[in-house]
Amino acid sequence: MRIGELSRRTGVNAHQLRYYEAQGLLTAERGTNGYRDYDETAVLRVKQIRHLLGARLSSEDIAYLLPCAVGEAPELPGCPELLAAMRARLRRLEDQLDRLAQSRDALADYIDAAERTGDENYPPFDDADLEPVPA
């Protein structure tokens, strides 16, 4: 099937399908005319990719998991290498959450301390002047 049909059958636009292919998540044969030709398994593969992206996994993580994926949800059988990779990803996420919680708590403490002092000498403050805080 061509990319337009795959897009219609999965609800994923052609631009995203090309991106998945560029990331090595999806493969297509090329006809003599240069058009992509996907087989029937591509529909399931795209659904799996969408579910894994919904779990906020990176393209790199998804590329590692897809060969083990079974079904649309997908299920991921408990092979030792796969479990080790998922545990490592979970540890990284937990570390990020810990750092964010520490930052949140410190900021809340600074705000609380500033509000307690009640100093009227602060210059006017406009939230629009704030720069985004890097994560």
Side-chain angles (χ1 to χ4, degrees), residues 90-107:
L90 182 59
R91 279 192 303 275
R92 289 192 309 269
L93 288 172
E94 288 170 344
D95 290 344
Q96 288 176 321
L97 286 171
D98 288 344
R99 287 191 304 275
L100 285 171
Q102 290 171 357
S103 179
R104 179 202 57 220
D105 293 345
L107 184 57

Side-chain angles (χ1 to χ4, degrees), residues 67-84:
C68 296
V70 176
E72 186 176 318
E75 293 179 25
L76 301 169
C79 63
E81 299 86 5
L82 180 60
L83 285 172

